[in-house]
Amino acid sequence: MKKEKLFICKSCQISVNQETLEGKSGGYYLHQNLIKNAENSSIEIVKSGCLWTCNQPCAVSFLANNKYTYHFVNIPPLDEKYHQALIEFGELYADSENGYILPAKVPEILQEKLLVRIPAVDT
């Protein structure tokens, strides 16, 4: 079982200005695209309930026991560059001992999307 998880808000809109596309949420599309592109990933991709950053859709969080938590917002759910960047970040996260990723190592297109990094809690 993979210990690092990427939670994707399943109810996030496509964007601030567009709620759905063909009746499906942005979170739905982001989840589907990441599952398709992350077959060999070290990260488990999980649909989540609302992550409460509704004014900044799509939102995702990387979590694991005893590791930092990262919460990214405003991820374009249909843009493959972001899918690849999230998978790349996920591999860095999985390979790290405590989840701390040097800011310079975060894929450039994700750097402005990082809303918060939360210190690890000893579980």
Side-chain angles (χ1 to χ4, degrees), residues 86-123:
L86 287 168
I87 293 166
E88 180 183 334
F89 181 86
E91 294 308 313
L92 292 170
Y93 187 70
D95 290 342
S96 69
E97 186 175 321
N98 63 0
Y100 181 79
I101 309 299
L102 290 170
K105 296 285 186 184
V106 175
E108 189 174 342
I109 65 171
L110 292 180
Q111 290 177 5
E112 67 179 25
K113 306 295 186 181
L114 179 59
L115 181 64
V116 65
R117 180 186 70 211
I118 302 167
V121 175
D122 184 12
T123 55

PDB file of all heavy atoms in Angstrom, residues 86-123:
ATOM      1  N   LEU A  86       2.295  17.692 -11.227  1.00  0.00           N
ATOM      2  CA  LEU A  86       1.816  17.089  -9.973  1.00  0.00           C
ATOM      3  C   LEU A  86       2.424  15.703  -9.771  1.00  0.00           C
ATOM      4  O   LEU A  86       2.808  15.342  -8.651  1.00  0.00           O
ATOM      5  CB  LEU A  86       0.288  17.019  -9.966  1.00  0.00           C
ATOM      6  CG  LEU A  86      -0.431  18.349  -9.770  1.00  0.00           C
ATOM      7  CD1 LEU A  86      -1.911  18.201 -10.080  1.00  0.00           C
ATOM      8  CD2 LEU A  86      -0.216  18.888  -8.352  1.00  0.00           C
ATOM      9  N   ILE A  87       2.527  14.932 -10.830  1.00  0.00           N
ATOM     10  CA  ILE A  87       3.140  13.605 -10.724  1.00  0.00           C
ATOM     11  C   ILE A  87       4.620  13.747 -10.368  1.00  0.00           C
ATOM     12  O   ILE A  87       5.125  13.029  -9.498  1.00  0.00           O
ATOM     13  CB  ILE A  87       2.929  12.809 -12.030  1.00  0.00           C
ATOM     14  CG1 ILE A  87       1.431  12.485 -12.195  1.00  0.00           C
ATOM     15  CG2 ILE A  87       3.773  11.541 -12.038  1.00  0.00           C
ATOM     16  CD1 ILE A  87       1.049  12.016 -13.570  1.00  0.00           C
ATOM     17  N   GLU A  88       5.295  14.690 -10.993  1.00  0.00           N
ATOM     18  CA  GLU A  88       6.703  14.941 -10.676  1.00  0.00           C
ATOM     19  C   GLU A  88       6.863  15.357  -9.207  1.00  0.00           C
ATOM     20  O   GLU A  88       7.741  14.847  -8.506  1.00  0.00           O
ATOM     21  CB  GLU A  88       7.242  16.044 -11.593  1.00  0.00           C
ATOM     22  CG  GLU A  88       8.688  16.396 -11.354  1.00  0.00           C
ATOM     23  CD  GLU A  88       9.151  17.552 -12.237  1.00  0.00           C
ATOM     24  OE1 GLU A  88       8.587  17.760 -13.329  1.00  0.00           O
ATOM     25  OE2 GLU A  88      10.083  18.261 -11.818  1.00  0.00           O
ATOM     26  N   PHE A  89       6.017  16.266  -8.750  1.00  0.00           N
ATOM     27  CA  PHE A  89       6.088  16.676  -7.351  1.00  0.00           C
ATOM     28  C   PHE A  89       5.807  15.477  -6.434  1.00  0.00           C
ATOM     29  O   PHE A  89       6.468  15.296  -5.419  1.00  0.00           O
ATOM     30  CB  PHE A  89       5.091  17.801  -7.051  1.00  0.00           C
ATOM     31  CG  PHE A  89       5.164  18.254  -5.627  1.00  0.00           C
ATOM     32  CD1 PHE A  89       6.084  19.215  -5.243  1.00  0.00           C
ATOM     33  CD2 PHE A  89       4.336  17.705  -4.657  1.00  0.00           C
ATOM     34  CE1 PHE A  89       6.182  19.610  -3.918  1.00  0.00           C
ATOM     35  CE2 PHE A  89       4.417  18.086  -3.338  1.00  0.00           C
ATOM     36  CZ  PHE A  89       5.348  19.054  -2.960  1.00  0.00           C
ATOM     37  N   GLY A  90       4.843  14.660  -6.817  1.00  0.00           N
ATOM     38  CA  GLY A  90       4.507  13.479  -6.025  1.00  0.00           C
ATOM     39  C   GLY A  90       5.681  12.535  -5.854  1.00  0.00           C
ATOM     40  O   GLY A  90       5.885  11.964  -4.776  1.00  0.00           O
ATOM     41  N   GLU A  91       6.478  12.368  -6.892  1.00  0.00           N
ATOM     42  CA  GLU A  91       7.655  11.498  -6.788  1.00  0.00           C
ATOM     43  C   GLU A  91       8.700  12.105  -5.850  1.00  0.00           C
ATOM     44  O   GLU A  91       9.313  11.395  -5.055  1.00  0.00           O
ATOM     45  CB  GLU A  91       8.246  11.234  -8.172  1.00  0.00           C
ATOM     46  CG  GLU A  91       7.327  10.432  -9.081  1.00  0.00           C
ATOM     47  CD  GLU A  91       6.809   9.146  -8.467  1.00  0.00           C
ATOM     48  OE1 GLU A  91       7.611   8.385  -7.889  1.00  0.00           O
ATOM     49  OE2 GLU A  91       5.592   8.908  -8.546  1.00  0.00           O
ATOM     50  N   LEU A  92       8.891  13.422  -5.937  1.00  0.00           N
ATOM     51  CA  LEU A  92       9.804  14.092  -4.993  1.00  0.00           C
ATOM     52  C   LEU A  92       9.308  13.899  -3.562  1.00  0.00           C
ATOM     53  O   LEU A  92      10.090  13.618  -2.650  1.00  0.00           O
ATOM     54  CB  LEU A  92       9.895  15.590  -5.303  1.00  0.00           C
ATOM     55  CG  LEU A  92      10.571  16.000  -6.598  1.00  0.00           C
ATOM     56  CD1 LEU A  92      10.353  17.486  -6.860  1.00  0.00           C
ATOM     57  CD2 LEU A  92      12.057  15.671  -6.542  1.00  0.00           C
ATOM     58  N   TYR A  93       8.021  14.046  -3.381  1.00  0.00           N
ATOM     59  CA  TYR A  93       7.399  13.902  -2.064  1.00  0.00           C
ATOM     60  C   TYR A  93       7.569  12.472  -1.534  1.00  0.00           C
ATOM     61  O   TYR A  93       7.965  12.268  -0.386  1.00  0.00           O
ATOM     62  CB  TYR A  93       5.915  14.273  -2.182  1.00  0.00           C
ATOM     63  CG  TYR A  93       5.169  14.346  -0.889  1.00  0.00           C
ATOM     64  CD1 TYR A  93       5.415  15.354   0.026  1.00  0.00           C
ATOM     65  CD2 TYR A  93       4.174  13.421  -0.595  1.00  0.00           C
ATOM     66  CE1 TYR A  93       4.704  15.439   1.212  1.00  0.00           C
ATOM     67  CE2 TYR A  93       3.457  13.498   0.582  1.00  0.00           C
ATOM     68  CZ  TYR A  93       3.720  14.513   1.482  1.00  0.00           C
ATOM     69  OH  TYR A  93       3.015  14.588   2.659  1.00  0.00           O
ATOM     70  N   ALA A  94       7.305  11.499  -2.369  1.00  0.00           N
ATOM     71  CA  ALA A  94       7.428  10.098  -1.959  1.00  0.00           C
ATOM     72  C   ALA A  94       8.868   9.745  -1.614  1.00  0.00           C
ATOM     73  O   ALA A  94       9.120   8.982  -0.672  1.00  0.00           O
ATOM     74  CB  ALA A  94       6.913   9.179  -3.065  1.00  0.00           C
ATOM     75  N   ASP A  95       9.814  10.312  -2.336  1.00  0.00           N
ATOM     76  CA  ASP A  95      11.232  10.005  -2.120  1.00  0.00           C
ATOM     77  C   ASP A  95      11.828  10.734  -0.919  1.00  0.00           C
ATOM     78  O   ASP A  95      12.912  10.381  -0.462  1.00  0.00           O
ATOM     79  CB  ASP A  95      12.058  10.350  -3.362  1.00  0.00           C
ATOM     80  CG  ASP A  95      11.768   9.404  -4.519  1.00  0.00           C
ATOM     81  OD1 ASP A  95      11.207   8.315  -4.294  1.00  0.00           O
ATOM     82  OD2 ASP A  95      12.103   9.773  -5.661  1.00  0.00           O
ATOM     83  N   SER A  96      11.144  11.739  -0.427  1.00  0.00           N
ATOM     84  CA  SER A  96      11.695  12.523   0.685  1.00  0.00           C
ATOM     85  C   SER A  96      11.408  11.838   2.025  1.00  0.00           C
ATOM     86  O   SER A  96      10.391  11.176   2.190  1.00  0.00           O
ATOM     87  CB  SER A  96      11.109  13.935   0.692  1.00  0.00           C
ATOM     88  OG  SER A  96       9.744  13.880   1.044  1.00  0.00           O
ATOM     89  N   GLU A  97      12.307  12.033   2.954  1.00  0.00           N
ATOM     90  CA  GLU A  97      12.163  11.397   4.269  1.00  0.00           C
ATOM     91  C   GLU A  97      11.030  12.012   5.084  1.00  0.00           C
ATOM     92  O   GLU A  97      10.251  11.297   5.706  1.00  0.00           O
ATOM     93  CB  GLU A  97      13.479  11.514   5.038  1.00  0.00           C
ATOM     94  CG  GLU A  97      13.465  10.752   6.352  1.00  0.00           C
ATOM     95  CD  GLU A  97      14.815  10.789   7.037  1.00  0.00           C
ATOM     96  OE1 GLU A  97      15.843  10.700   6.347  1.00  0.00           O
ATOM     97  OE2 GLU A  97      14.817  10.898   8.268  1.00  0.00           O
ATOM     98  N   ASN A  98      10.952  13.348   5.084  1.00  0.00           N
ATOM     99  CA  ASN A  98       9.955  14.016   5.919  1.00  0.00           C
ATOM    100  C   ASN A  98       8.961  14.855   5.113  1.00  0.00           C
ATOM    101  O   ASN A  98       8.181  15.607   5.675  1.00  0.00           O
ATOM    102  CB  ASN A  98      10.637  14.901   6.965  1.00  0.00           C
ATOM    103  CG  ASN A  98      11.431  16.026   6.352  1.00  0.00           C
ATOM    104  OD1 ASN A  98      11.484  16.174   5.131  1.00  0.00           O
ATOM    105  ND2 ASN A  98      12.056  16.830   7.189  1.00  0.00           N
ATOM    106  N   GLY A  99       9.002  14.745   3.796  1.00  0.00           N
ATOM    107  CA  GLY A  99       8.077  15.474   2.941  1.00  0.00           C
ATOM    108  C   GLY A  99       8.513  16.884   2.599  1.00  0.00           C
ATOM    109  O   GLY A  99       7.855  17.551   1.812  1.00  0.00           O
ATOM    110  N   TYR A 100       9.614  17.334   3.180  1.00  0.00           N
ATOM    111  CA  TYR A 100      10.062  18.690   2.875  1.00  0.00           C
ATOM    112  C   TYR A 100      10.716  18.706   1.500  1.00  0.00           C
ATOM    113  O   TYR A 100      11.656  17.968   1.238  1.00  0.00           O
ATOM    114  CB  TYR A 100      11.054  19.207   3.915  1.00  0.00           C
ATOM    115  CG  TYR A 100      11.495  20.616   3.622  1.00  0.00           C
ATOM    116  CD1 TYR A 100      10.670  21.681   3.949  1.00  0.00           C
ATOM    117  CD2 TYR A 100      12.699  20.874   2.984  1.00  0.00           C
ATOM    118  CE1 TYR A 100      11.052  22.978   3.655  1.00  0.00           C
ATOM    119  CE2 TYR A 100      13.087  22.169   2.686  1.00  0.00           C
ATOM    120  CZ  TYR A 100      12.266  23.223   3.028  1.00  0.00           C
ATOM    121  OH  TYR A 100      12.642  24.499   2.729  1.00  0.00           O
ATOM    122  N   ILE A 101      10.190  19.561   0.636  1.00  0.00           N
ATOM    123  CA  ILE A 101      10.731  19.728  -0.705  1.00  0.00           C
ATOM    124  C   ILE A 101      11.274  21.153  -0.782  1.00  0.00           C
ATOM    125  O   ILE A 101      10.536  22.115  -0.499  1.00  0.00           O
ATOM    126  CB  ILE A 101       9.642  19.529  -1.790  1.00  0.00           C
ATOM    127  CG1 ILE A 101       8.866  18.229  -1.598  1.00  0.00           C
ATOM    128  CG2 ILE A 101      10.247  19.636  -3.187  1.00  0.00           C
ATOM    129  CD1 ILE A 101       9.671  16.969  -1.660  1.00  0.00           C
ATOM    130  N   LEU A 102      12.528  21.290  -1.142  1.00  0.00           N
ATOM    131  CA  LEU A 102      13.095  22.630  -1.299  1.00  0.00           C
ATOM    132  C   LEU A 102      12.253  23.417  -2.299  1.00  0.00           C
ATOM    133  O   LEU A 102      11.875  22.873  -3.347  1.00  0.00           O
ATOM    134  CB  LEU A 102      14.528  22.545  -1.804  1.00  0.00           C
ATOM    135  CG  LEU A 102      15.566  22.001  -0.831  1.00  0.00           C
ATOM    136  CD1 LEU A 102      16.890  21.755  -1.553  1.00  0.00           C
ATOM    137  CD2 LEU A 102      15.760  22.970   0.328  1.00  0.00           C
ATOM    138  N   PRO A 103      11.937  24.677  -2.001  1.00  0.00           N
ATOM    139  CA  PRO A 103      11.118  25.463  -2.924  1.00  0.00           C
ATOM    140  C   PRO A 103      11.637  25.449  -4.362  1.00  0.00           C
ATOM    141  O   PRO A 103      10.843  25.394  -5.304  1.00  0.00           O
ATOM    142  CB  PRO A 103      11.162  26.865  -2.312  1.00  0.00           C
ATOM    143  CG  PRO A 103      11.319  26.606  -0.846  1.00  0.00           C
ATOM    144  CD  PRO A 103      12.238  25.407  -0.761  1.00  0.00           C
ATOM    145  N   ALA A 104      12.930  25.473  -4.541  1.00  0.00           N
ATOM    146  CA  ALA A 104      13.506  25.469  -5.892  1.00  0.00           C
ATOM    147  C   ALA A 104      13.266  24.149  -6.623  1.00  0.00           C
ATOM    148  O   ALA A 104      13.364  24.096  -7.852  1.00  0.00           O
ATOM    149  CB  ALA A 104      14.999  25.758  -5.824  1.00  0.00           C
ATOM    150  N   LYS A 105      12.972  23.087  -5.896  1.00  0.00           N
ATOM    151  CA  LYS A 105      12.730  21.775  -6.508  1.00  0.00           C
ATOM    152  C   LYS A 105      11.267  21.581  -6.927  1.00  0.00           C
ATOM    153  O   LYS A 105      10.952  20.668  -7.697  1.00  0.00           O
ATOM    154  CB  LYS A 105      13.115  20.652  -5.537  1.00  0.00           C
ATOM    155  CG  LYS A 105      14.580  20.618  -5.190  1.00  0.00           C
ATOM    156  CD  LYS A 105      15.379  20.066  -6.318  1.00  0.00           C
ATOM    157  CE  LYS A 105      16.830  19.914  -5.897  1.00  0.00           C
ATOM    158  NZ  LYS A 105      17.666  19.465  -6.975  1.00  0.00           N
ATOM    159  N   VAL A 106      10.372  22.415  -6.408  1.00  0.00           N
ATOM    160  CA  VAL A 106       8.959  22.321  -6.784  1.00  0.00           C
ATOM    161  C   VAL A 106       8.856  22.708  -8.261  1.00  0.00           C
ATOM    162  O   VAL A 106       9.404  23.733  -8.669  1.00  0.00           O
ATOM    163  CB  VAL A 106       8.097  23.270  -5.913  1.00  0.00           C
ATOM    164  CG1 VAL A 106       6.653  23.266  -6.390  1.00  0.00           C
ATOM    165  CG2 VAL A 106       8.192  22.887  -4.444  1.00  0.00           C
ATOM    166  N   PRO A 107       8.195  21.892  -9.088  1.00  0.00           N
ATOM    167  CA  PRO A 107       8.060  22.250 -10.505  1.00  0.00           C
ATOM    168  C   PRO A 107       7.585  23.702 -10.645  1.00  0.00           C
ATOM    169  O   PRO A 107       6.670  24.140  -9.936  1.00  0.00           O
ATOM    170  CB  PRO A 107       7.028  21.256 -11.028  1.00  0.00           C
ATOM    171  CG  PRO A 107       7.213  20.053 -10.154  1.00  0.00           C
ATOM    172  CD  PRO A 107       7.516  20.623  -8.788  1.00  0.00           C
ATOM    173  N   GLU A 108       8.227  24.418 -11.538  1.00  0.00           N
ATOM    174  CA  GLU A 108       7.998  25.860 -11.668  1.00  0.00           C
ATOM    175  C   GLU A 108       6.530  26.236 -11.816  1.00  0.00           C
ATOM    176  O   GLU A 108       6.056  27.187 -11.191  1.00  0.00           O
ATOM    177  CB  GLU A 108       8.803  26.416 -12.834  1.00  0.00           C
ATOM    178  CG  GLU A 108       8.792  27.914 -12.899  1.00  0.00           C
ATOM    179  CD  GLU A 108       9.721  28.465 -13.970  1.00  0.00           C
ATOM    180  OE1 GLU A 108      10.615  27.736 -14.443  1.00  0.00           O
ATOM    181  OE2 GLU A 108       9.521  29.629 -14.341  1.00  0.00           O
ATOM    182  N   ILE A 109       5.781  25.492 -12.623  1.00  0.00           N
ATOM    183  CA  ILE A 109       4.375  25.876 -12.825  1.00  0.00           C
ATOM    184  C   ILE A 109       3.526  25.650 -11.577  1.00  0.00           C
ATOM    185  O   ILE A 109       2.432  26.199 -11.479  1.00  0.00           O
ATOM    186  CB  ILE A 109       3.733  25.199 -14.055  1.00  0.00           C
ATOM    187  CG1 ILE A 109       3.629  23.702 -13.895  1.00  0.00           C
ATOM    188  CG2 ILE A 109       4.447  25.578 -15.327  1.00  0.00           C
ATOM    189  CD1 ILE A 109       2.802  23.040 -14.989  1.00  0.00           C
ATOM    190  N   LEU A 110       4.027  24.872 -10.621  1.00  0.00           N
ATOM    191  CA  LEU A 110       3.289  24.665  -9.373  1.00  0.00           C
ATOM    192  C   LEU A 110       3.673  25.657  -8.288  1.00  0.00           C
ATOM    193  O   LEU A 110       2.949  25.795  -7.301  1.00  0.00           O
ATOM    194  CB  LEU A 110       3.511  23.242  -8.846  1.00  0.00           C
ATOM    195  CG  LEU A 110       2.917  22.108  -9.653  1.00  0.00           C
ATOM    196  CD1 LEU A 110       3.234  20.766  -9.005  1.00  0.00           C
ATOM    197  CD2 LEU A 110       1.413  22.287  -9.815  1.00  0.00           C
ATOM    198  N   GLN A 111       4.778  26.332  -8.434  1.00  0.00           N
ATOM    199  CA  GLN A 111       5.260  27.211  -7.368  1.00  0.00           C
ATOM    200  C   GLN A 111       4.239  28.278  -6.994  1.00  0.00           C
ATOM    201  O   GLN A 111       4.013  28.522  -5.813  1.00  0.00           O
ATOM    202  CB  GLN A 111       6.604  27.830  -7.743  1.00  0.00           C
ATOM    203  CG  GLN A 111       7.711  26.803  -7.732  1.00  0.00           C
ATOM    204  CD  GLN A 111       9.045  27.361  -8.173  1.00  0.00           C
ATOM    205  OE1 GLN A 111       9.207  28.539  -8.407  1.00  0.00           O
ATOM    206  NE2 GLN A 111      10.025  26.470  -8.288  1.00  0.00           N
ATOM    207  N   GLU A 112       3.599  28.890  -7.954  1.00  0.00           N
ATOM    208  CA  GLU A 112       2.606  29.919  -7.641  1.00  0.00           C
ATOM    209  C   GLU A 112       1.256  29.318  -7.243  1.00  0.00           C
ATOM    210  O   GLU A 112       0.365  30.032  -6.812  1.00  0.00           O
ATOM    211  CB  GLU A 112       2.424  30.888  -8.803  1.00  0.00           C
ATOM    212  CG  GLU A 112       1.793  30.259 -10.021  1.00  0.00           C
ATOM    213  CD  GLU A 112       1.595  31.252 -11.153  1.00  0.00           C
ATOM    214  OE1 GLU A 112       2.318  32.256 -11.208  1.00  0.00           O
ATOM    215  OE2 GLU A 112       0.711  30.999 -11.992  1.00  0.00           O
ATOM    216  N   LYS A 113       1.108  28.013  -7.369  1.00  0.00           N
ATOM    217  CA  LYS A 113      -0.142  27.335  -7.022  1.00  0.00           C
ATOM    218  C   LYS A 113      -0.131  26.795  -5.586  1.00  0.00           C
ATOM    219  O   LYS A 113      -1.153  26.348  -5.088  1.00  0.00           O
ATOM    220  CB  LYS A 113      -0.412  26.165  -7.982  1.00  0.00           C
ATOM    221  CG  LYS A 113      -0.403  26.537  -9.452  1.00  0.00           C
ATOM    222  CD  LYS A 113      -1.519  27.476  -9.802  1.00  0.00           C
ATOM    223  CE  LYS A 113      -1.584  27.731 -11.302  1.00  0.00           C
ATOM    224  NZ  LYS A 113      -2.638  28.659 -11.654  1.00  0.00           N
ATOM    225  N   LEU A 114       1.021  26.836  -4.939  1.00  0.00           N
ATOM    226  CA  LEU A 114       1.134  26.329  -3.572  1.00  0.00           C
ATOM    227  C   LEU A 114       0.512  27.336  -2.611  1.00  0.00           C
ATOM    228  O   LEU A 114       0.990  28.459  -2.479  1.00  0.00           O
ATOM    229  CB  LEU A 114       2.595  26.073  -3.203  1.00  0.00           C
ATOM    230  CG  LEU A 114       2.854  25.554  -1.791  1.00  0.00           C
ATOM    231  CD1 LEU A 114       2.131  24.245  -1.536  1.00  0.00           C
ATOM    232  CD2 LEU A 114       4.355  25.397  -1.566  1.00  0.00           C
ATOM    233  N   LEU A 115      -0.561  26.935  -1.956  1.00  0.00           N
ATOM    234  CA  LEU A 115      -1.241  27.813  -1.009  1.00  0.00           C
ATOM    235  C   LEU A 115      -0.613  27.704   0.373  1.00  0.00           C
ATOM    236  O   LEU A 115      -0.387  28.706   1.043  1.00  0.00           O
ATOM    237  CB  LEU A 115      -2.729  27.472  -0.936  1.00  0.00           C
ATOM    238  CG  LEU A 115      -3.560  28.329   0.012  1.00  0.00           C
ATOM    239  CD1 LEU A 115      -3.588  29.775  -0.454  1.00  0.00           C
ATOM    240  CD2 LEU A 115      -4.978  27.776   0.119  1.00  0.00           C
ATOM    241  N   VAL A 116      -0.309  26.467   0.791  1.00  0.00           N
ATOM    242  CA  VAL A 116       0.213  26.270   2.140  1.00  0.00           C
ATOM    243  C   VAL A 116       1.014  24.979   2.228  1.00  0.00           C
ATOM    244  O   VAL A 116       0.720  24.004   1.541  1.00  0.00           O
ATOM    245  CB  VAL A 116      -0.954  26.264   3.176  1.00  0.00           C
ATOM    246  CG1 VAL A 116      -1.876  25.093   2.962  1.00  0.00           C
ATOM    247  CG2 VAL A 116      -0.458  26.311   4.598  1.00  0.00           C
ATOM    248  N   ARG A 117       2.052  25.033   3.058  1.00  0.00           N
ATOM    249  CA  ARG A 117       2.818  23.842   3.425  1.00  0.00           C
ATOM    250  C   ARG A 117       2.701  23.739   4.934  1.00  0.00           C
ATOM    251  O   ARG A 117       3.048  24.667   5.663  1.00  0.00           O
ATOM    252  CB  ARG A 117       4.269  23.986   2.997  1.00  0.00           C
ATOM    253  CG  ARG A 117       5.118  22.763   3.371  1.00  0.00           C
ATOM    254  CD  ARG A 117       6.568  22.956   3.082  1.00  0.00           C
ATOM    255  NE  ARG A 117       7.116  23.935   4.027  1.00  0.00           N
ATOM    256  CZ  ARG A 117       8.117  24.760   3.745  1.00  0.00           C
ATOM    257  NH1 ARG A 117       8.673  24.753   2.561  1.00  0.00           N
ATOM    258  NH2 ARG A 117       8.539  25.604   4.634  1.00  0.00           N
ATOM    259  N   ILE A 118       2.219  22.611   5.418  1.00  0.00           N
ATOM    260  CA  ILE A 118       1.956  22.410   6.844  1.00  0.00           C
ATOM    261  C   ILE A 118       3.001  21.450   7.397  1.00  0.00           C
ATOM    262  O   ILE A 118       3.234  20.387   6.818  1.00  0.00           O
ATOM    263  CB  ILE A 118       0.539  21.846   7.045  1.00  0.00           C
ATOM    264  CG1 ILE A 118      -0.492  22.806   6.441  1.00  0.00           C
ATOM    265  CG2 ILE A 118       0.261  21.597   8.528  1.00  0.00           C
ATOM    266  CD1 ILE A 118      -1.868  22.241   6.305  1.00  0.00           C
ATOM    267  N   PRO A 119       3.637  21.805   8.517  1.00  0.00           N
ATOM    268  CA  PRO A 119       4.662  20.933   9.097  1.00  0.00           C
ATOM    269  C   PRO A 119       4.113  19.545   9.424  1.00  0.00           C
ATOM    270  O   PRO A 119       2.924  19.362   9.699  1.00  0.00           O
ATOM    271  CB  PRO A 119       5.083  21.656  10.369  1.00  0.00           C
ATOM    272  CG  PRO A 119       4.692  23.068  10.155  1.00  0.00           C
ATOM    273  CD  PRO A 119       3.467  23.039   9.285  1.00  0.00           C
ATOM    274  N   ALA A 120       5.018  18.598   9.420  1.00  0.00           N
ATOM    275  CA  ALA A 120       4.662  17.207   9.736  1.00  0.00           C
ATOM    276  C   ALA A 120       4.216  17.087  11.186  1.00  0.00           C
ATOM    277  O   ALA A 120       4.703  17.788  12.061  1.00  0.00           O
ATOM    278  CB  ALA A 120       5.859  16.301   9.482  1.00  0.00           C
ATOM    279  N   VAL A 121       3.294  16.160  11.403  1.00  0.00           N
ATOM    280  CA  VAL A 121       2.835  15.831  12.746  1.00  0.00           C
ATOM    281  C   VAL A 121       3.274  14.410  13.016  1.00  0.00           C
ATOM    282  O   VAL A 121       3.086  13.524  12.179  1.00  0.00           O
ATOM    283  CB  VAL A 121       1.296  15.946  12.853  1.00  0.00           C
ATOM    284  CG1 VAL A 121       0.807  15.493  14.207  1.00  0.00           C
ATOM    285  CG2 VAL A 121       0.856  17.366  12.565  1.00  0.00           C
ATOM    286  N   ASP A 122       3.869  14.195  14.159  1.00  0.00           N
ATOM    287  CA  ASP A 122       4.317  12.849  14.527  1.00  0.00           C
ATOM    288  C   ASP A 122       3.105  11.987  14.830  1.00  0.00           C
ATOM    289  O   ASP A 122       2.420  12.188  15.825  1.00  0.00           O
ATOM    290  CB  ASP A 122       5.235  12.923  15.731  1.00  0.00           C
ATOM    291  CG  ASP A 122       5.815  11.576  16.096  1.00  0.00           C
ATOM    292  OD1 ASP A 122       5.691  10.625  15.294  1.00  0.00           O
ATOM    293  OD2 ASP A 122       6.390  11.464  17.192  1.00  0.00           O
ATOM    294  N   THR A 123       2.809  11.050  13.915  1.00  0.00           N
ATOM    295  CA  THR A 123       1.667  10.173  14.137  1.00  0.00           C
ATOM    296  C   THR A 123       2.162   8.801  14.493  1.00  0.00           C
ATOM    297  O   THR A 123       1.767   7.816  14.059  1.00  0.00           O
ATOM    298  CB  THR A 123       0.750  10.144  12.890  1.00  0.00           C
ATOM    299  OG1 THR A 123       1.511   9.783  11.751  1.00  0.00           O
ATOM    300  CG2 THR A 123       0.106  11.488  12.656  1.00  0.00           C
TER     301      THR A 123
END
